[in-house]
Structure formats: C-alpha cells, structure tokens
Amino acid sequence: MKSNGEHEKERKWQVTQQVASNLIVVAGGIVLYLILNNLDVVKDVVGELIGILSPFMAGLVLAYLLDGLARFFQQKLLGGRHRTFAVILAYMVTLLLLGLLLRIVLPQVVQSITVLVNRVPEYLRSLNTLVNDLSEQYGLDAKGLEALVGSYQDLIRKATDIVSNLLPQVVSYSAAIGSGVVSALTAVISSLYMMLSKETLLRQIRKLIWALMPEKAARRTLDICHKANAIFSGFINGKIIDSVIIGLLCYVGTSILRMPFAVLISVIVGVTNVIPFFGPFIGAIPSTMILLIFSPLSALEFVIFVLALQQFDGNVLGPRILGDSTGLSPLWVLVSIIVGSGLFGFAGMLVGVPTFAVLYTLLREYLNDRLAQKGIDEAGNPVAAAPEPQALAENEKPCAEK
C-alpha cells in the first residue's frame, strides 16, 4: 500500500481542470503573439493553403447548393430512397439548365455586348443631338448639360475601352483557362463524392465532435450547426429561385416593351437580384445606362418597369418563396450587407445576411435564457415560474385518482 506521502505527491502532479484551462490560455497567447509577429509569413502560408484547397472548397459549396435539389428528388420522386440516383438526377438537371443557358442566353449576351461596343460612338452622337435640342427648346443651361454629358461620355468610353481591350486578350489566357477547367472538374468531382457520401461524412463529423468536446458543448455545437444549416439553405436556395423568376419576368417585360438588349439586361437584373436589398439597384444602374445611350425613352420605361418589378418581388414573390427564413428586420439586413461587403466584398454581400441571422438567433436565445433565469420578461416585469413537471402531472390526474 502507498503511504500518505506518496498519495500527496501524486495529487500534487495531477492536472486539474483549472490548470488545464490556464495552460490553454497561455499557449493560445503564445500562438497569437507568434502569428502577429510573423503576420506576412502567416498570410502567405494561408494564401497558398487556400489556393491548394480552393477546388475542394468550391466543390463543398457546389455540393451544398445541389443537396437541396437532390433531397427534393429523393423525397418527392423516389420515396426517400435511392440517394445515389437522386444525386445523379440533380446533376443531370443542373447540367441541362447550364447547357440551355450556354446555348440560348450566352450567345445573345455576347452579341448584345458586341453590338453595344460597336455602336457606342453613334449612340453618343445621338445623345449630343438630343441634349442640344432640349437646351434650345426649353432654354436650359447648355454648359451644365454639356458638362454632364461629357462626364457620361467619358464613363461610357472608359467602359467601352475596357471591354474592347479584354475581348482580344481572351485568346492569350488559354493557360489560365486550362487551369480553371482542371480546377472546375476537380470541384465537380469532389462535390459528387461529397454528396454520395454525405451520411458518412456527417457521421464522421458528429463522431469527432462527440469525441473531442464535453457532452453539453457537443450538443450545443450540433444544435447551432443544425440551425445554421436551416437558415443558410432556406435563404440561399430561396434567393436563387427568386432571382431566376425575376430574371425571366424581366425578359418577358422588356420583350413586350420592345426594349433593346432584353436578354443582356435580364441576365444583369437576375444575377444582381441574388444580392439582398441592394441587388435591384446594382442591376438597374448599368442596365439604365446601357438603354440611355440607345434610347432615353427606353431607359425611362425600364426604370418604371424595374421599380414595379422589384416592388412585386419585395412584397409578393420574395416573401412567398423565402418566408421568414432569416428572422431579421430590414434594418439588420442592411447592417449585415454593409458589414459583410466591407469585410469580404461581393461574397460578404451574398452570405452576410444568413450569417448575421445565425448570430442574431444565438444572441436572442442567450438573452431569453438569461431573462428566464432572472424570472423577468424583456420589460423587466416578473414572470410566473413554470410549474414543475411532476406537480403538473399530479394536477392533470383525474379526480377519481386523487
């Protein structure tokens, strides 16, 4: 048997939870100091690592986007079975839609851009003539109008020069295109494997979480992941469907109104509509500028039409498709877009809203739990404590049993 001195010596060298926490804090501080002291090296290493893993990250994004379509086919058409066939069907439908897009829409977009670039000088001369006629007819300030038109013409010329210079350089980018094709194929293949082995990957991730985290933290982590997935999938899939419908409606409307470059404008409006809140404005501004150099009347008609279309989207179509997938008020949507775009650019504008919605949900749950612990509501008024489950069961028994 061990003596008391030996027991004391063993207890002295045992690592308690507090000691482990202190060691983790100290180690974290040292690591943070080393990272900040060698920030350039860390950025280069992280950049190279992201460049290597970028095809797999793109594959993960693609798998996440197509998983909703695969689950729809699996549940609605295949009775909840045949996951492999549902995944293949989702990829076939996606490839078919992309093929139709490349076959029908892309040539018309390229043709519209080519015509637009070639006819810019003619459009600008017509714009000058219109401005001179207006200034003579209505006695407007000719110098102010000329300055405005001159600024607009400079902007159009710069945009035209950029497009004209980029078109011949496409041929010289064959190596980059080849590398991009390899990366795209890697992303598609990796996304296919991810979707086919979805259940296995999720089971491995859950196993890792349960093994490395305390039980309470593991349950909380899985709960957060479940809520984040529901918010992200509902918002992103709904926004894609909403943008496709808006693009089609824009094409129908501009075709009925006989506007020039209907396909090009509809693609711009549909793509930019993916961005919440600012999307309609981002898409309407370049479209209006394109129409303005062709026909000011068409530009005015388009502005009226796109305002009506976005009102329909914001008040009728969007709420029916998206519902309350984020639970954010318009103010917080605006804040999330501005912060997301400031931190991560265009990607931040796309995922800023669902990311902020997840953080908002977690904060709301935390505050509600704190109020419940204090026994008050959000106005500070006392709240009656909920009856204990055992007492509640006793009260619900029939009178004959009491």
Side-chain angles (χ1 to χ4, degrees):
M1 295 181 62
K2 295 182 180 180
S3 63
N4 292 335
E6 290 176 344
H7 283 294
E8 290 292 335
K9 187 176 181 180
E10 288 182 358
R11 284 197 295 269
K12 183 184 297 184
W13 291 104
Q14 284 181 351
V15 179
T16 62
Q17 184 175 0
Q18 183 178 1
V19 173
S21 300
N22 293 336
L23 289 175
I24 292 174
V25 171
V26 172
I30 294 173
V31 171
L32 180 61
Y33 170 77
L34 293 175
I35 290 175
L36 295 177
N37 199 38
N38 301 276
L39 192 58
D40 294 335
V41 178
V42 173
K43 288 173 63 177
D44 293 339
V45 172
V46 172
E48 292 179 2
L49 184 62
I50 292 177
I52 295 172
L53 298 179
S54 58
F56 301 98
M57 296 169 64
L60 178 61
V61 173
L62 181 60
Y64 188 80
L65 293 176
L66 294 181
D67 183 64
L69 186 60
R71 282 189 286 108
F72 173 80
F73 290 144
Q74 184 179 6
Q75 296 171 3
K76 300 298 182 181
L77 300 180
L78 304 174
R81 296 170 294 176
H82 306 295
R83 168 73 180 178
T84 301
F85 185 70
V87 170
I88 295 175
L89 188 59
Y91 273 87
M92 290 177 61
V93 171
T94 304
L95 290 175
L96 178 62
L97 293 176
L98 288 176
L100 290 174
L101 181 67
L102 295 176
R103 176 68 179 84
I104 300 174
V105 177
L106 187 60
Q108 296 190 42
V109 171
V110 174
Q111 182 182 3
S112 299
I113 295 175
T114 305
V115 171
L116 183 63
V117 171
N118 292 333
R119 294 187 179 179
V120 162
E122 178 185 347
Y123 296 153
L124 293 180
R125 285 194 297 269
S126 300
L127 183 60
N128 280 330
T129 304
L130 176 63
V131 169
N132 293 330
D133 292 341
L134 289 176
S135 62
E136 293 177 1
Q137 184 174 357
Y138 297 101
L140 301 176
D141 184 10
K143 292 184 179 180
L145 289 175
E146 289 176 0
L148 180 62
V149 172
S151 301
Y152 182 74
Q153 289 177 346
D154 290 340
L155 179 62
I156 296 299
R157 287 195 183 95
K158 289 179 181 178
T160 306
D161 292 340
I162 292 174
V163 175
S164 301
N165 292 331
L166 285 177
L167 290 177
Q169 293 178 5
V170 172
V171 180
S172 63
Y173 293 150
S174 55
I177 293 175
S179 176
V181 169
V182 173
S183 299
L185 289 176
T186 305
V188 172
I189 294 172
S190 62
S191 68
L192 181 60
Y193 280 117
M194 289 177 190
M195 291 186 67
L196 291 175
S197 58
K198 172 187 172 183
E199 296 301 326
T200 302
L201 291 174
L202 291 179
R203 185 171 63 252
Q204 292 172 348
I205 293 173
R206 286 193 290 265
K207 180 180 180 180
L208 185 67
I209 292 174
W210 283 111
L212 298 181
M213 291 185 175
E215 182 178 353
K216 185 177 179 181
R219 293 186 185 278
R220 183 58 176 163
T221 300
L222 293 175
D223 181 58
I224 292 173
C225 292
H226 177 73
K227 292 177 180 178
N229 176 61
I231 292 174
F232 268 83
S233 61
F235 179 81
I236 293 175
N237 294 331
K239 200 63 182 173
I240 291 175
I241 296 173
D242 175 70
S243 299
V244 170
I245 295 175
I246 288 299
L248 293 174
L249 290 176
C250 183
Y251 175 71
V252 172
T254 51
S255 299
I256 292 174
L257 294 173
R258 298 183 181 278
M259 294 182 183
F261 312 115
V263 176
L264 176 61
I265 290 173
S266 301
V267 170
I268 294 174
V269 171
V271 170
T272 56
N273 194 72
V274 177
I275 303 173
F277 199 84
F278 290 110
F281 303 100
I282 296 175
I285 291 174
S287 302
T288 304
M289 293 176 64
I290 291 172
L291 290 174
L292 187 60
I293 63 176
F294 179 81
S295 171
L297 181 59
S298 297
L300 179 60
E301 291 177 348
F302 173 76
V303 170
I304 297 173
F305 168 72
V306 81
L307 287 176
L309 182 63
Q310 295 305 329
Q311 287 298 314
F312 168 74
D313 180 35
N315 297 307
V316 179
L317 182 63
R320 290 185 67 87
I321 295 177
L322 295 173
D324 193 19
S325 58
T326 61
L328 297 177
S329 65
L331 173 62
W332 294 122
V333 171
L334 179 62
V335 170
S336 61
I337 294 172
I338 293 175
V339 174
S341 63
L343 293 176
F344 304 105
F346 182 75
M349 297 181 73
L350 295 179
V351 300
V353 173
T355 302
F356 192 88
V358 173
L359 299 176
Y360 182 84
T361 301
L362 297 177
L363 178 61
R364 181 177 58 194
E365 292 179 354
Y366 171 75
L367 295 178
N368 289 338
D369 291 341
R370 292 289 297 171
L371 291 175
Q373 292 175 5
K374 294 183 176 182
I376 57 177
D377 59 13
E378 58 186 12
N381 301 318
V383 177
E388 295 292 334
Q390 185 176 0
L392 183 61
E394 290 291 335
N395 293 332
E396 291 178 351
K397 286 182 178 180
C399 297
E401 296 182 8
K402 292 183 179 180

